[in-house]
Amino acid sequence: MRGDLVEDGCHVLHVEVEDLPVQVAVAHRPDLSGFPVVVHVDGTVLDASAAARAAGVAAGEPLEAALARCRGAVPVPADPDAHARVAAGLLDVLTELTPLVERVGPAAAFVDVAGALRRHGSPARIAWLVRDRVRARHGVSCAVGVAATKVVARLAGRAAGPDGVLLVPRAASARFLRPLPVTVLPEVEGTVEAVLAEHGIHALGELASASPAGVRRVLGPVAARRLQDLAWGRDPRPVVPVPRRAEVDELRVETPCADAGGDRGRLERSVRVLAREGAALLRAQGRSTRRVDLVTVTADGAVLTLSRALATPTRGEHELHLVTRSLLAGTTWTAVPETLRLVLGALDAPRSSSGADRAAGRPGDGDETAPEAPADTPAGARRGARRIRPARVTLVRGPSTTTIVTADIS
Protein backbone atom coordinates (compact mmCIF):
# COMPACT_ATOMS: atom_id res chain seq x y z
CA MET A 1 0.00 0.00 0.00
CA ARG A 2 1.38 3.39 -0.93
CA GLY A 3 2.40 5.48 2.05
CA ASP A 4 0.92 8.66 0.62
CA LEU A 5 -2.49 6.96 0.40
CA VAL A 6 -2.22 5.72 3.99
CA GLU A 7 -1.37 9.20 5.27
CA ASP A 8 -3.73 11.12 2.99
CA GLY A 9 -5.65 13.66 5.06
CA CYS A 10 -3.88 12.75 8.31
CA HIS A 11 -2.63 16.24 9.08
CA VAL A 12 -3.60 16.46 12.78
CA LEU A 13 -1.00 15.52 15.39
CA HIS A 14 -1.51 15.15 19.13
CA VAL A 15 1.82 15.47 20.95
CA GLU A 16 2.18 14.86 24.68
CA VAL A 17 5.04 14.49 27.11
CA GLU A 18 3.49 11.96 29.46
CA ASP A 19 4.39 11.90 33.17
CA LEU A 20 6.31 15.16 32.78
CA PRO A 21 7.54 15.53 36.40
CA VAL A 22 8.80 11.93 36.49
CA GLN A 23 10.50 12.20 33.09
CA VAL A 24 12.24 15.42 34.13
CA ALA A 25 13.44 13.77 37.34
CA VAL A 26 14.85 10.77 35.45
CA ALA A 27 16.44 13.03 32.80
CA HIS A 28 18.32 14.85 35.54
CA ARG A 29 19.15 11.61 37.38
CA PRO A 30 19.50 8.73 34.89
CA ASP A 31 20.32 6.34 37.74
CA LEU A 32 16.59 6.46 38.64
CA SER A 33 15.55 4.84 35.36
CA GLY A 34 13.48 1.73 36.03
CA PHE A 35 12.90 2.53 39.71
CA PRO A 36 9.51 3.48 41.24
CA VAL A 37 9.92 7.26 41.36
CA VAL A 38 7.60 9.53 43.38
CA VAL A 39 7.84 13.25 42.63
CA HIS A 40 6.51 15.35 45.50
CA VAL A 41 5.84 18.95 46.47
CA ASP A 42 5.97 19.81 50.18
CA GLY A 43 5.00 16.32 51.31
CA THR A 44 2.32 15.66 48.68
CA VAL A 45 2.67 13.39 45.65
CA LEU A 46 2.71 15.37 42.40
CA ASP A 47 3.38 12.46 40.02
CA ALA A 48 4.55 8.86 40.11
CA SER A 49 6.26 6.56 37.65
CA ALA A 50 4.47 3.57 36.15
CA ALA A 51 6.16 1.24 38.63
CA ALA A 52 5.03 3.37 41.56
CA ARG A 53 1.48 3.67 40.21
CA ALA A 54 1.34 -0.12 39.85
CA ALA A 55 1.99 -0.29 43.59
CA GLY A 56 -0.99 2.01 44.26
CA VAL A 57 0.70 5.41 44.50
CA ALA A 58 -1.56 8.23 43.29
CA ALA A 59 -1.10 11.95 42.76
CA GLY A 60 -2.46 14.14 45.55
CA GLU A 61 -1.89 11.70 48.41
CA PRO A 62 0.55 12.34 51.28
CA LEU A 63 4.12 11.35 50.48
CA GLU A 64 4.42 9.40 53.72
CA ALA A 65 1.47 7.19 52.76
CA ALA A 66 2.87 6.66 49.26
CA LEU A 67 6.27 5.55 50.57
CA ALA A 68 4.62 3.20 53.04
CA ARG A 69 2.59 1.63 50.23
CA CYS A 70 5.55 1.34 47.84
CA ARG A 71 8.52 0.35 49.95
CA GLY A 72 11.14 0.68 47.22
CA ALA A 73 9.95 4.07 45.98
CA VAL A 74 12.48 6.85 45.48
CA PRO A 75 11.14 10.29 46.55
CA VAL A 76 12.30 13.20 44.38
CA PRO A 77 11.42 16.86 45.04
CA ALA A 78 9.56 18.52 42.18
CA ASP A 79 11.38 21.06 40.02
CA PRO A 80 8.67 23.44 38.75
CA ASP A 81 11.16 25.55 36.79
CA ALA A 82 12.45 22.50 34.93
CA HIS A 83 8.88 21.35 34.23
CA ALA A 84 8.05 24.76 32.78
CA ARG A 85 11.21 24.77 30.64
CA VAL A 86 10.35 21.40 29.09
CA ALA A 87 6.71 22.42 28.48
CA ALA A 88 7.84 25.65 26.82
CA GLY A 89 10.50 23.74 24.88
CA LEU A 90 7.84 21.41 23.46
CA LEU A 91 5.89 24.40 22.16
CA ASP A 92 9.11 25.80 20.68
CA VAL A 93 9.70 22.56 18.76
CA LEU A 94 6.15 22.57 17.41
CA THR A 95 6.02 26.24 16.43
CA GLU A 96 9.29 25.81 14.53
CA LEU A 97 7.33 23.55 12.17
CA THR A 98 4.00 25.39 11.93
CA PRO A 99 2.16 28.22 13.69
CA LEU A 100 -0.98 26.04 13.96
CA VAL A 101 -0.32 24.79 17.49
CA GLU A 102 -3.08 24.49 20.09
CA ARG A 103 -1.89 23.81 23.62
CA VAL A 104 -4.30 21.51 25.47
CA GLY A 105 -2.39 20.55 28.61
CA PRO A 106 0.73 21.15 30.66
CA ALA A 107 2.85 19.40 28.03
CA ALA A 108 0.38 18.48 25.29
CA ALA A 109 -0.78 20.13 22.08
CA PHE A 110 -2.65 19.57 18.85
CA VAL A 111 -0.77 20.50 15.68
CA ASP A 112 -2.12 20.95 12.14
CA VAL A 113 0.77 20.13 9.78
CA ALA A 114 -1.16 20.41 6.50
CA GLY A 115 0.87 23.49 5.55
CA ALA A 116 4.20 21.98 6.60
CA LEU A 117 4.20 18.85 4.43
CA ARG A 118 6.17 20.37 1.56
CA ARG A 119 8.95 21.60 3.84
CA HIS A 120 9.17 18.72 6.31
CA GLY A 121 7.73 15.64 4.60
CA SER A 122 4.83 13.37 5.42
CA PRO A 123 2.83 13.57 8.68
CA ALA A 124 4.64 10.49 10.02
CA ARG A 125 8.03 12.03 9.25
CA ILE A 126 7.00 15.20 11.05
CA ALA A 127 5.88 13.13 14.04
CA TRP A 128 9.29 11.42 14.15
CA LEU A 129 11.01 14.79 13.84
CA VAL A 130 9.05 16.23 16.77
CA ARG A 131 9.75 13.20 18.93
CA ASP A 132 13.49 13.22 18.15
CA ARG A 133 13.91 16.96 18.71
CA VAL A 134 12.14 16.90 22.07
CA ARG A 135 14.25 13.94 23.18
CA ALA A 136 17.52 15.50 21.99
CA ARG A 137 16.88 18.91 23.59
CA HIS A 138 15.29 17.92 26.88
CA GLY A 139 16.02 14.22 27.45
CA VAL A 140 12.32 13.32 27.65
CA SER A 141 10.12 11.28 25.34
CA CYS A 142 6.76 12.17 23.88
CA ALA A 143 3.91 10.19 22.38
CA VAL A 144 2.54 11.36 19.03
CA GLY A 145 -0.81 10.42 17.51
CA VAL A 146 -1.41 11.18 13.84
CA ALA A 147 -4.91 11.14 12.32
CA ALA A 148 -7.43 13.06 10.26
CA THR A 149 -9.32 14.49 13.26
CA LYS A 150 -8.53 15.70 16.76
CA VAL A 151 -10.46 12.97 18.59
CA VAL A 152 -8.67 10.16 16.74
CA ALA A 153 -5.26 11.84 17.00
CA ARG A 154 -5.62 12.24 20.78
CA LEU A 155 -6.61 8.61 21.29
CA ALA A 156 -3.88 7.45 18.91
CA GLY A 157 -1.34 9.37 20.97
CA ARG A 158 -2.61 7.75 24.16
CA ALA A 159 -2.30 4.32 22.51
CA ALA A 160 1.18 5.00 21.09
CA GLY A 161 2.91 4.54 24.42
CA PRO A 162 6.04 6.36 25.63
CA ASP A 163 8.25 7.52 22.76
CA GLY A 164 5.77 6.06 20.26
CA VAL A 165 4.17 7.29 17.06
CA LEU A 166 0.79 5.89 16.05
CA LEU A 167 -0.75 6.86 12.70
CA VAL A 168 -4.40 6.00 12.08
CA PRO A 169 -5.41 6.48 8.42
CA ARG A 170 -8.72 8.20 7.78
CA ALA A 171 -10.22 4.98 6.38
CA ALA A 172 -9.22 3.05 9.54
CA SER A 173 -10.56 5.58 12.07
CA ALA A 174 -13.81 3.78 12.89
CA ARG A 175 -12.07 0.39 13.11
CA PHE A 176 -9.43 1.82 15.45
CA LEU A 177 -12.07 3.37 17.72
CA ARG A 178 -14.51 0.44 17.74
CA PRO A 179 -13.01 -1.64 20.62
CA LEU A 180 -12.18 1.33 22.87
CA PRO A 181 -14.40 1.91 25.94
CA VAL A 182 -16.74 4.87 25.75
CA THR A 183 -14.99 6.36 28.78
CA VAL A 184 -11.99 7.34 26.61
CA LEU A 185 -14.15 10.28 25.51
CA PRO A 186 -13.92 13.03 28.15
CA GLU A 187 -17.59 13.80 27.53
CA VAL A 188 -18.57 10.35 28.85
CA GLU A 189 -18.45 10.41 32.63
CA GLY A 190 -20.77 10.25 35.58
CA THR A 191 -24.41 10.24 34.54
CA VAL A 192 -23.69 9.87 30.83
CA GLU A 193 -21.54 6.79 31.43
CA ALA A 194 -24.20 5.26 33.70
CA VAL A 195 -27.00 5.88 31.18
CA LEU A 196 -25.03 4.32 28.32
CA ALA A 197 -24.11 1.30 30.46
CA GLU A 198 -27.76 0.90 31.42
CA HIS A 199 -28.55 0.51 27.71
CA GLY A 200 -25.72 -1.93 27.10
CA ILE A 201 -23.33 0.54 25.47
CA HIS A 202 -19.80 0.08 26.78
CA ALA A 203 -17.57 0.40 23.69
CA LEU A 204 -17.32 3.10 21.03
CA GLY A 205 -18.31 0.55 18.38
CA GLU A 206 -21.55 -0.12 20.25
CA LEU A 207 -22.21 3.61 20.53
CA ALA A 208 -21.51 4.16 16.82
CA SER A 209 -23.82 1.31 15.80
CA ALA A 210 -26.65 2.19 18.18
CA SER A 211 -29.89 3.57 16.82
CA PRO A 212 -29.57 7.37 16.61
CA ALA A 213 -33.18 7.73 17.71
CA GLY A 214 -32.55 5.53 20.74
CA VAL A 215 -29.44 7.47 21.76
CA ARG A 216 -31.33 10.75 21.35
CA ARG A 217 -34.04 9.52 23.70
CA VAL A 218 -31.60 8.80 26.51
CA LEU A 219 -29.06 11.61 26.01
CA GLY A 220 -30.90 14.36 24.18
CA PRO A 221 -30.37 15.42 20.56
CA VAL A 222 -27.23 17.55 20.98
CA ALA A 223 -25.21 15.16 23.16
CA ALA A 224 -26.36 12.13 21.17
CA ARG A 225 -25.21 13.51 17.85
CA ARG A 226 -21.94 14.77 19.28
CA LEU A 227 -21.04 11.46 20.93
CA GLN A 228 -22.00 9.32 17.96
CA ASP A 229 -19.95 11.53 15.64
CA LEU A 230 -16.93 11.12 17.93
CA ALA A 231 -17.50 7.34 18.09
CA TRP A 232 -17.20 7.26 14.29
CA GLY A 233 -14.13 9.49 14.38
CA ARG A 234 -15.98 12.49 12.98
CA ASP A 235 -14.70 15.66 14.63
CA PRO A 236 -15.04 18.99 12.78
CA ARG A 237 -13.11 20.98 15.39
CA PRO A 238 -10.08 22.68 13.80
CA VAL A 239 -6.74 23.18 15.47
CA VAL A 240 -7.02 26.68 16.91
CA PRO A 241 -3.59 28.28 17.43
CA VAL A 242 -3.11 30.00 20.77
CA PRO A 243 -0.60 32.89 20.52
CA ARG A 244 2.34 32.66 22.89
CA ARG A 245 1.80 35.22 25.61
CA ALA A 246 3.89 38.35 25.58
CA GLU A 247 6.27 38.71 28.50
CA VAL A 248 4.32 39.48 31.64
CA ASP A 249 5.25 39.53 35.28
CA GLU A 250 3.52 36.40 36.52
CA LEU A 251 4.19 32.82 37.58
CA ARG A 252 2.26 29.77 36.42
CA VAL A 253 1.87 26.21 37.61
CA GLU A 254 -0.59 23.66 36.29
CA THR A 255 -1.57 20.03 36.58
CA PRO A 256 -3.60 17.58 34.50
CA CYS A 257 -6.89 16.60 36.12
CA ALA A 258 -8.78 14.54 33.54
CA ASP A 259 -8.47 11.46 35.77
CA ALA A 260 -10.64 13.20 38.38
CA GLY A 261 -13.60 12.96 35.99
CA GLY A 262 -14.99 16.26 37.25
CA ASP A 263 -15.22 15.06 40.87
CA ARG A 264 -14.82 18.18 42.98
CA GLY A 265 -13.28 16.33 45.90
CA ARG A 266 -10.45 15.03 43.73
CA LEU A 267 -10.09 18.41 42.03
CA GLU A 268 -9.68 20.05 45.44
CA ARG A 269 -6.69 17.77 46.06
CA SER A 270 -5.21 18.96 42.76
CA VAL A 271 -5.79 22.55 43.83
CA ARG A 272 -3.89 21.89 47.06
CA VAL A 273 -0.92 20.63 45.03
CA LEU A 274 -1.06 23.75 42.84
CA ALA A 275 -1.07 25.99 45.90
CA ARG A 276 1.98 24.22 47.33
CA GLU A 277 3.88 24.38 44.07
CA GLY A 278 2.95 28.04 43.55
CA ALA A 279 4.06 28.93 47.08
CA ALA A 280 7.34 27.12 46.48
CA LEU A 281 7.94 29.17 43.32
CA LEU A 282 7.23 32.42 45.17
CA ARG A 283 9.54 31.51 48.03
CA ALA A 284 12.31 30.47 45.63
CA GLN A 285 12.17 33.90 43.98
CA GLY A 286 11.58 35.84 47.18
CA ARG A 287 8.36 37.34 45.81
CA SER A 288 4.74 37.76 46.82
CA THR A 289 1.55 37.94 44.79
CA ARG A 290 -1.46 40.23 44.90
CA ARG A 291 -3.56 38.44 42.25
CA VAL A 292 -4.55 34.79 41.99
CA ASP A 293 -6.15 33.31 38.86
CA LEU A 294 -7.52 29.77 38.61
CA VAL A 295 -7.84 28.65 34.99
CA THR A 296 -9.82 25.50 34.15
CA VAL A 297 -9.41 23.99 30.68
CA THR A 298 -12.17 21.50 29.85
CA ALA A 299 -12.38 18.66 27.37
CA ASP A 300 -14.51 20.69 24.95
CA GLY A 301 -11.80 23.36 24.67
CA ALA A 302 -13.41 25.88 27.03
CA VAL A 303 -11.04 27.99 29.13
CA LEU A 304 -12.70 29.15 32.36
CA THR A 305 -10.90 31.78 34.45
CA LEU A 306 -11.77 33.19 37.86
CA SER A 307 -9.55 35.80 39.55
CA ARG A 308 -9.15 37.19 43.05
CA ALA A 309 -7.29 40.38 43.98
CA LEU A 310 -5.66 40.18 47.39
CA ALA A 311 -5.70 43.05 49.88
CA THR A 312 -2.21 42.17 51.09
CA PRO A 313 0.53 40.35 49.17
CA THR A 314 1.24 36.76 50.12
CA ARG A 315 3.57 33.90 49.37
CA GLY A 316 2.02 31.53 51.90
CA GLU A 317 0.78 28.12 50.87
CA HIS A 318 -2.20 28.23 53.26
CA GLU A 319 -3.47 31.55 51.89
CA LEU A 320 -3.04 30.41 48.29
CA HIS A 321 -4.89 27.19 49.02
CA LEU A 322 -7.84 29.02 50.60
CA VAL A 323 -8.12 31.38 47.62
CA THR A 324 -7.78 28.72 44.92
CA ARG A 325 -10.23 26.41 46.68
CA SER A 326 -12.73 29.28 46.80
CA LEU A 327 -12.19 29.98 43.09
CA LEU A 328 -12.71 26.30 42.27
CA ALA A 329 -15.98 26.32 44.21
CA GLY A 330 -17.19 29.20 42.05
CA THR A 331 -16.29 27.54 38.74
CA THR A 332 -18.92 25.67 36.74
CA TRP A 333 -18.28 23.57 33.65
CA THR A 334 -20.22 21.54 31.09
CA ALA A 335 -17.40 19.17 30.11
CA VAL A 336 -14.79 17.32 32.17
CA PRO A 337 -11.90 19.58 33.34
CA GLU A 338 -8.63 18.39 31.80
CA THR A 339 -6.21 20.95 33.22
CA LEU A 340 -6.08 23.22 36.26
CA ARG A 341 -3.72 26.19 36.07
CA LEU A 342 -2.75 28.57 38.85
CA VAL A 343 -1.54 31.99 37.71
CA LEU A 344 0.08 34.30 40.25
CA GLY A 345 0.14 37.91 39.06
CA ALA A 346 0.81 41.43 40.33
CA LEU A 347 4.09 40.25 41.80
CA ASP A 348 6.20 42.49 43.99
CA ALA A 349 9.88 43.09 43.33
CA PRO A 350 12.19 40.12 43.80
CA ARG A 351 14.23 39.90 46.95
CA SER A 352 17.79 41.11 46.47
CA SER A 353 20.81 39.24 47.77
CA SER A 354 21.84 40.14 51.28
CA GLY A 355 25.39 40.65 52.43
CA ALA A 356 25.07 37.46 54.45
CA ASP A 357 24.14 35.51 51.34
CA ARG A 358 27.15 36.82 49.45
CA ALA A 359 29.45 36.18 52.37
CA ALA A 360 28.21 32.60 52.56
CA GLY A 361 28.93 32.12 48.89
CA ARG A 362 25.27 31.74 47.89
CA PRO A 363 24.46 33.14 44.44
CA GLY A 364 22.13 36.09 44.31
CA ASP A 365 20.60 38.34 41.67
CA GLY A 366 23.97 40.00 41.12
CA ASP A 367 26.04 36.81 40.88
CA GLU A 368 28.09 37.29 37.75
CA THR A 369 29.00 33.61 37.51
CA ALA A 370 25.41 32.43 37.39
CA PRO A 371 24.18 31.83 33.84
CA GLU A 372 21.19 33.55 32.38
CA ALA A 373 17.90 31.66 32.43
CA PRO A 374 17.40 29.53 29.31
CA ALA A 375 15.59 31.21 26.45
CA ASP A 376 12.68 28.77 26.71
CA THR A 377 12.08 29.56 30.38
CA PRO A 378 8.49 30.94 30.74
CA ALA A 379 8.42 34.72 30.70
CA GLY A 380 6.93 35.02 34.16
CA ALA A 381 9.66 32.88 35.65
CA ARG A 382 12.38 34.71 33.69
CA ARG A 383 11.65 38.23 34.80
CA GLY A 384 12.87 38.86 38.33
CA ALA A 385 13.88 35.23 38.89
CA ARG A 386 17.10 34.31 40.60
CA ARG A 387 19.71 33.05 38.20
CA ILE A 388 20.40 29.44 38.95
CA ARG A 389 22.51 26.92 37.15
CA PRO A 390 20.17 24.53 35.29
CA ALA A 391 20.39 20.88 36.21
CA ARG A 392 22.31 18.69 33.82
CA VAL A 393 20.15 16.65 31.47
CA THR A 394 21.53 13.34 30.31
CA LEU A 395 20.01 11.82 27.20
CA VAL A 396 18.78 8.30 27.90
CA ARG A 397 18.06 6.28 24.80
CA GLY A 398 14.93 4.24 25.28
CA PRO A 399 12.88 1.98 23.04
CA SER A 400 11.42 3.75 20.06
CA THR A 401 8.23 2.53 18.44
CA THR A 402 6.28 3.58 15.41
CA THR A 403 3.00 1.95 14.45
CA ILE A 404 0.64 2.49 11.54
CA VAL A 405 -2.88 1.09 11.75
CA THR A 406 -3.57 0.07 8.19
CA ALA A 407 -6.85 -0.17 6.34
CA ASP A 408 -7.94 -1.74 3.11
CA ILE A 409 -8.00 1.01 0.54
CA SER A 410 -9.30 -0.05 -2.86
Side-chain angles (χ1 to χ4, degrees):
M1 186 185 304
R2 289 177 53 190
D4 55 348
L5 290 179
V6 171
E7 299 186 42
D8 183 42
C10 295
H11 55 85
V12 178
L13 274 59
H14 181 272
V15 185
E16 182 172 10
V17 178
E18 299 176 337
D19 302 326
L20 175 63
V22 169
Q23 286 210 59
V24 169
V26 175
H28 291 168
R29 290 185 54 189
D31 58 295
L32 296 179
S33 181
F35 285 87
V37 176
V38 178
V39 180
H40 62 93
V41 177
D42 291 344
T44 300
V45 176
L46 176 65
D47 194 15
S49 66
R53 290 198 300 270
V57 177
E61 70 173 317
L63 176 63
E64 185 177 351
L67 297 180
R69 185 177 298 109
C70 184
R71 293 292 183 179
V74 180
V76 179
D79 187 346
D81 290 337
H83 303 167
R85 284 196 296 272
V86 173
L90 173 65
L91 294 182
D92 289 339
V93 168
L94 299 178
T95 52
E96 288 169 4
L97 302 172
T98 174
L100 296 179
V101 177
E102 178 182 348
R103 186 177 183 180
V104 291
F110 284 111
V111 190
D112 189 332
V113 298
L117 301 181
R118 180 172 296 182
R119 296 191 307 277
H120 301 290
S122 69
R125 287 183 179 276
I126 293 175
W128 299 331
L129 179 63
V130 168
R131 183 193 59 186
D132 293 345
R133 286 185 179 178
V134 171
R135 186 199 299 146
R137 296 181 188 181
H138 300 286
V140 300
S141 63
C142 60
V144 187
V146 187
T149 61
K150 292 172 81 170
V151 62
V152 181
R154 183 178 71 85
L155 295 177
R158 300 289 170 86
D163 202 31
V165 173
L166 177 60
L167 186 148
V168 180
R170 181 188 295 273
S173 296
R175 184 160 62 85
F176 166 73
L177 295 174
R178 188 175 300 128
L180 301 180
V182 292
T183 51
V184 298
L185 300 179
E187 294 86 350
V188 178
E189 52 87 23
T191 304
V192 175
E193 179 185 357
V195 169
L196 292 177
E198 196 176 301
H199 290 77
I201 299 176
H202 303 279
L204 290 181
E206 295 169 339
L207 177 58
S209 303
S211 164
V215 179
R216 284 197 298 270
R217 281 196 297 272
V218 298
L219 295 181
V222 176
R225 180 171 182 175
R226 168 69 174 159
L227 290 181
Q228 285 200 297
D229 280 346
L230 294 177
W232 281 105
R234 298 190 291 257
D235 187 357
R237 294 175 301 169
V239 173
V240 181
V242 179
R244 302 289 289 273
R245 291 175 61 92
E247 184 171 344
V248 293
D249 199 12
E250 62 184 28
L251 299 176
R252 293 178 162 210
V253 291
E254 60 183 40
T255 183
C257 59
D259 290 347
D263 180 76
R264 287 190 178 268
R266 297 177 65 184
L267 290 174
E268 283 189 0
R269 290 196 288 272
S270 297
V271 159
R272 178 181 289 274
V273 172
L274 286 178
R276 288 179 176 172
E277 196 167 351
L281 271 179
L282 289 170
R283 289 196 300 270
Q285 297 192 14
R287 312 188 76 177
S288 299
T289 180
R290 288 181 177 270
R291 194 194 76 238
V292 178
D293 302 343
L294 183 65
V295 182
T296 306
V297 182
T298 61
D300 58 359
V303 180
L304 314 172
T305 304
L306 287 181
S307 300
R308 177 76 52 82
L310 307 181
T312 55
T314 184
R315 70 180 66 158
E317 173 193 327
H318 180 66
E319 292 83 354
L320 291 179
H321 178 227
L322 290 178
V323 173
T324 50
R325 189 175 64 177
S326 173
L327 294 175
L328 178 67
T331 304
T332 58
W333 50 78
T334 57
V336 175
E338 288 194 334
T339 303
L340 287 176
R341 181 182 307 132
L342 176 63
V343 182
L344 305 174
L347 304 177
D348 60 7
R351 177 182 55 200
S352 60
S353 299
S354 67
D357 285 342
R358 287 190 292 271
R362 290 189 290 267
D365 292 337
D367 187 354
E368 296 180 358
T369 64
E372 291 287 341
D376 56 355
T377 301
R382 186 163 62 246
R383 179 179 292 181
R386 291 183 299 164
R387 299 174 187 173
I388 58 176
R389 189 175 302 278
R392 177 173 175 267
V393 174
T394 302
L395 178 60
V396 180
R397 293 287 180 180
S400 177
T401 59
T402 302
T403 305
I404 296 180
V405 176
T406 59
D408 293 329
I409 301 178
S410 56

